[in-house]
Amino acid sequence: MPGITLKLAGEPNAELVQRIVPQLTALTCEVLEKRPELTMVMVQFVPHALWFIDSRSLAELGRNSFRLEVTITDETNTKAQKARYQKEAFALLAEEIGNLHPHSNIHVIDCKASSYGYGGVSQEYKLYHP
């Protein structure tokens, strides 16, 4: 049940979001072995003038960027799966967005099962009370 937050540099672009979200959901579910019906994606846009790398805005640098955060339950994925996900998600977003600053980044966030859940119930509880 990953929670995905994708921040993109630029102005809101519904067409881009409609292309990226299904691809990102499918990739997450395939590589990290998650269920699509439990995968949540939130997309946020940050204007180029308000996104800085080394104190210079992306507007000044003339580049695009993204920050992808994927929250998963700790101990449910291997290092190899997370490494593959980072590589493939970066490639997918690079192709869809283009002109990326190399510091565009992906964070796979492992949360303890007792600290993470949905529907008011933790993942740990669901493990022991199916």
Side-chain angles (χ1 to χ4, degrees):
M1 72 155 241
I4 301 171
T5 302
L6 176 61
K7 293 184 181 179
L8 297 168
E11 297 303 317
N13 181 333
E15 184 180 309
L16 178 64
V17 171
Q18 290 299 316
R19 283 196 325 264
I20 289 176
V21 168
Q23 292 180 76
L24 192 55
T25 299
L27 178 69
T28 302
C29 293
E30 175 194 337
V31 175
L32 299 180
E33 300 178 1
K34 305 302 180 191
R35 293 172 44 196
E37 68 273 16
L38 299 178
T39 301
M40 174 185 62
V41 181
M42 295 175 288
V43 180
Q44 302 168 333
F45 286 87
V46 177
H48 286 88
L50 299 178
W51 191 309
F52 294 84
I53 299 175
D54 192 20
S55 300
R56 295 176 66 200
S57 74
L58 290 176
E60 181 183 350
L61 296 168
R63 303 296 292 269
N64 293 317
S65 191
F66 72 84
R67 179 181 176 98
L68 174 63
E69 296 178 348
V70 181
T71 305
I72 58 174
T73 306
D74 193 28
E75 303 295 326
T76 60
N77 292 100
T78 65
K79 288 181 182 181
Q81 285 173 311
K82 290 184 268 189
R84 177 181 166 206
Y85 183 77
Q86 292 229 2
K87 181 178 181 176
E88 292 184 23
F90 191 92
L92 182 153
L93 293 169
E95 175 147 342
E96 288 295 334
I97 297 166
N99 191 29
L100 281 182
H101 189 284
H103 191 60
S104 301
N105 53 69
I106 300 169
H107 295 242
V108 178
I109 304 166
D110 291 302
C111 291
K112 290 183 179 180
S114 62
S115 302
Y116 184 55
Y118 62 93
V121 181
S122 73
Q123 290 294 84
E124 182 177 60
Y125 184 88
K126 289 176 191 221
L127 176 65
Y128 295 112
H129 303 90

